[in-house]
Amino acid sequence: MAKIIVVTSGKGGVGKTTSSAAISTGLALRGFKTVVIDFDVGLRNLDLVMGCERRVVYDLINVVNGESSLRQSLIKDKRTENLYILPASQTRDKDALTKEGVERVINELRNDFDYIVCDSPAGIEKGAMMALYFSDIAIVVTNPEISSVRDSDRILGILSSKSRRAEQGMDGVVEHLLLTRYSPERVVRGDMLSVEDVKEVLAIPLLGVIPESPAVLRASNSGEPVILDAPSDAGQAYADAVSRLLGETVPFRFIKPQKKGIFRRLFGKAEETTV
Amino acid sequence: MTLVDFLEKLLARSRKGHNTAKLAKERLQIIVSHERKQSSPDFLPLLQQELINVIAKYVKIDKDQVKVELERSGDCSILELNVTLPSSKMEMENTA
């Protein structure tokens, strides 16, 4: 029976799709049969980040409406064994998602997979609600920035009141904080909320800290989940997060400023991205 | 620009730039605790229990048949009370 993970945030542009792609790939690399579903109906992008945009034939809405079978709609990842993608529809709107339809799709997937990763759209409208409703585990993607933290808190409130687990009085959704676009240098300067600050406000356990990294844009440019860029800082940070998701204890990296050598001082600037 | 102007500007700049992260955290803590209170009023479970008690005085009802929900939309909140009463047939059987 698959575990259902929602990758959510409330706010847009914080890294939900990047994280969904990286984490689902990470789970598959660890040998778990994983499917990642794009719930952003009308604005799909997971296909691009996963590099399978030209292989989309049928989508989630087709399956919900019974216009195609699940088998026809699932895209098998070409790089990673055990990994499948279910894209969102680009032409419909989010009202095409119904609780009953999504439940049917999830129940069908449940028997065949170890993990179902739901990539939520931004906001708290229908698509986001459908993505989180059936979840067992929530990964709340947050930037160290006030509007993102506030929206994450709102999403946590919704998880504990509007999810299936909440409505049916079951054990609550297991919540994890994934802090992305973190810049230790700016934290030291007092320009950015620290890991501790965000943890204190949201009061949920920390799954990972992904540093602000040029590797993330490079990865989406080339349609390869950043976790496959194994030597990169972001790739390593996602691999650590996946290990923690599987219950392992891994020390946190990339949360302190790097000591820069003379060459990095001189030439490192070009690599840095400004937000 | 005089030297005094320049120094003042410099001072203001350093003051403004001084640990804005701390300021952000303080603002967040205030707004988040405020919004948490709004989203789930503490009195709701108690209200539900008291309503059940009152209704139970007059009609035989199941605890699960009373639903109290507070919905916020824009400027107003709607308190929704849903009570499902047992059919009269069942009630007669119960009293018989």
Side-chain angles (χ1 to χ4, degrees), chain B residues 18-64:
Chain B
H18 181 69
N19 212 335
T20 52
K22 207 173 147 194
L23 184 64
K25 189 185 173 189
E26 287 163 8
R27 291 176 61 214
L28 257 177
Q29 281 172 324
I30 293 165
I31 191 70
V32 160
S33 75
H34 179 72
E35 285 174 347
R36 277 183 198 157
K37 265 182 225 148
Q38 275 188 332
S39 61
S40 65
D42 297 334
F43 61 81
L44 223 55
L46 198 66
L47 176 70
Q48 176 159 0
Q49 190 52 52
E50 289 196 3
L51 282 169
I52 291 170
N53 293 344
V54 171
I55 296 164
K57 270 190 191 174
Y58 303 94
V59 197
K60 200 163 184 170
I61 50 159
D62 199 336
K63 260 188 181 177
D64 301 330

